[in-house]
Amino acid sequence: MIVSKSNKQLKDIKKLMDSSKARKEQKLFVVEGLRMTREVPEHLLEKIYYSESFFASSLSVATCEKKGEEGKDYEIVSDEIFKGLSDTVTPQGILGIVKQPEYQLKDAFGGKILILDDIQDPGNLGTMIRTSEAVGVTGVIMSTGCAVIFNPKVIRSTMESIFRVPFLKADLRKAIDALQKEGYTVYGAALDGAVFYNEITYGEKNAVVIGNEGNGISEKVLDAVDYKIKIPMAGKVESLNAAISAAVILYQL
C-alpha cells in the first residue's frame, strides 16, 4: 500500500492531471470515480488506484477487482494520501490511468458530425461531447485551438461519452472540404447573413460548426461552410452559451 506523498507513481499521476505536456508525451490521462472507471474500455485501461477504504468495500468487488483479476495492474493508496491525489472535493476512492484513444477523420463519417472552432471552456467542450452522444453524432472534429480534451474538467463533463464518441483535432478547412466531398452539407452557427436553423429541411449527411465562445466561427472556417444558420432570440439576448447552441441545433438535425 502506498503511504507516502513522495511516491513516484503519485507524482506521475499529478503530472498527468496538471500538465497537458505530460499527457501528450505519455499519451495517457486520468479518470476519477466509480462510473468513469467502469466505462473505460479494457484495451485502454492502464492501471487502477484505489483508496484503502474503497478497496475494502463491496463496491470494489463489483467494479474493478474484476479488471485486476484479468491482469490489470492496480495499487492501494492510504485514504489520507488519496484525498490529496484526487482532483475532486469528495473523492470516491478510485481512479484510473487510461491510454488516449486515437481516431482518424473517416471514423467520424456515418451520420451527424459536430465541428468545434476554438472552443476554450473545458466544461463547454465536455458537455458538447456528452450531448453529441445523446443525439447520435458519429464524430466530433475540433480545431487545434480548442481546449485540451484530456483535461480532467473536460473528462468529467463528458460523463463517460468520451469513450463512445470518436473525436479528433484537425485543420478545419481541410476537414470541411473532405466532408463535403463525402456528401455532407456543412452549416455554421453565425448571426450575419444567416437563416433560422428551424426553417431548413435537412438531408441525410449534416455537419454543424460551433464557434469560439467570444468570437464565434473564424472567418476562414465560415467561408468554407455551405450555409449559415442562427437560433431565434427573444428579448435583448444576442446569443446562447456555445454548448447550449450546439444542443439546440443538433437536436433539430
Side-chain angles (χ1 to χ4, degrees):
M1 183 169 66
I2 298 175
V3 296
S4 171
K5 291 181 180 179
S6 61
N7 182 277
K8 184 180 182 303
Q9 293 183 67
L10 302 190
K11 289 182 178 180
D12 289 342
I13 292 172
K14 291 299 288 183
K15 282 183 181 179
L16 288 175
M17 297 175 81
D18 299 337
S19 169
S20 176
K21 180 180 178 182
R23 291 190 293 266
K24 185 175 182 180
E25 289 176 348
Q26 299 181 49
K27 294 187 176 182
L28 298 170
F29 66 102
V30 179
V31 299
E32 285 197 70
L34 185 58
R35 288 183 58 180
M36 284 294 291
T37 310
R38 259 182 183 162
E39 292 298 320
V40 180
E42 285 292 326
H43 70 284
L44 295 179
L45 185 60
E46 186 85 353
K47 191 165 185 175
I48 304 165
Y49 289 83
Y50 302 97
S51 70
E52 183 180 7
S53 58
F54 182 92
F55 189 77
S57 72
S58 60
L59 286 174
S60 65
V61 176
T63 56
C64 293
E65 272 191 342
K66 180 174 180 291
K67 295 181 185 291
E69 290 168 0
E70 292 172 353
K72 295 299 179 184
D73 197 8
Y74 68 87
E75 293 279 359
I76 303 171
V77 183
S78 72
D79 288 347
E80 183 181 351
I81 299 297
F82 196 97
K83 286 180 183 178
L85 180 65
S86 175
D87 193 47
T88 59
V89 177
T90 55
Q92 292 182 316
I94 179 171
L95 62 79
I97 308 300
V98 185
K99 298 174 185 175
Q100 296 179 7
E102 296 182 1
Y103 299 98
Q104 304 298 319
L105 183 59
K106 63 182 179 180
D107 296 323
F109 295 165
K112 295 182 286 291
I113 291 175
L114 177 61
I115 302 173
L116 303 177
D117 188 11
D118 287 5
I119 295 297
Q120 294 294 298
D121 184 83
N124 277 341
L125 179 56
T127 298
M128 284 190 266
I129 291 172
R130 181 183 181 186
T131 302
S132 293
E133 181 183 14
V135 301
V137 163
T138 55
V140 177
I141 303 170
M142 300 169 286
S143 69
T144 55
C146 278
V148 178
I149 195 166
F150 298 111
N151 176 301
K153 187 173 182 180
V154 176
I155 299 298
R156 286 196 300 273
S157 298
T158 69
M159 294 294 288
E160 303 98 48
S161 292
I162 193 169
F163 300 123
R164 298 185 288 265
V165 178
F167 58 86
L168 68 149
K169 286 195 171 183
D171 180 307
L172 294 193
R173 283 295 298 261
K174 292 180 179 178
I176 289 171
D177 182 59
L179 289 173
Q180 290 166 332
K181 288 178 180 177
E182 286 290 321
Y184 276 85
T185 301
V186 181
Y187 300 89
L191 294 176
D192 296 335
V195 298
F196 290 132
Y197 80 104
N198 55 350
E199 294 180 353
I200 295 175
T201 300
Y202 297 96
E204 293 277 324
K205 292 183 175 182
N206 304 294
V208 60
V209 185
I210 302 294
N212 174 268
E213 291 90 343
N215 302 315
I217 301 173
S218 61
E219 188 174 338
K220 67 176 183 179
V221 173
L222 199 57
D223 286 343
V225 306
D226 297 299
Y227 300 100
K228 300 174 187 177
I229 56 176
K230 62 183 178 180
I231 299 171
M233 298 287 160
K236 295 183 179 181
V237 176
E238 293 183 355
S239 63
L240 296 175
N241 166 274
I244 292 176
S245 296
V248 170
I249 295 171
L250 287 173
Y251 269 103
Q252 181 72 17
L253 292 181

